[in-house]
Amino acid sequence: MLKYAIIFAIISLIAGLFGFTGVAAGAAGIAKILFILFLILAVIFVVLAAMGVGAARKMLK
């Protein structure tokens, strides 16, 4: 997911460089959403890992 956020950020920069402001804004918006989603999932998995595998299994059931 982070890979896709970086790809969309690069697309946004290149589109902005060539003057395609609509495409650049759209790609930047998608990159922001993917990066925020990545951060949220990363925090969730770090918390679950800190609690231990058994606690994560109990929480998911």
Side-chain angles (χ1 to χ4, degrees):
M1 190 174 318
L2 183 59
K3 179 176 87 171
Y4 292 123
I6 292 170
I7 289 171
F8 277 108
I10 291 171
I11 290 171
S12 173
L13 290 173
I14 292 171
L17 181 70
F18 289 121
F20 299 111
T21 56
V23 174
I30 293 171
K32 285 179 190 177
I33 291 169
L34 288 176
F35 186 70
I36 290 171
L37 188 61
F38 165 77
L39 286 179
I40 291 170
L41 289 175
V43 168
I44 289 171
F45 282 117
V46 166
V47 169
L48 287 176
M51 290 184 345
V53 176
R57 286 187 182 156
K58 287 179 187 177
M59 185 178 272
L60 291 175
K61 288 183 180 181

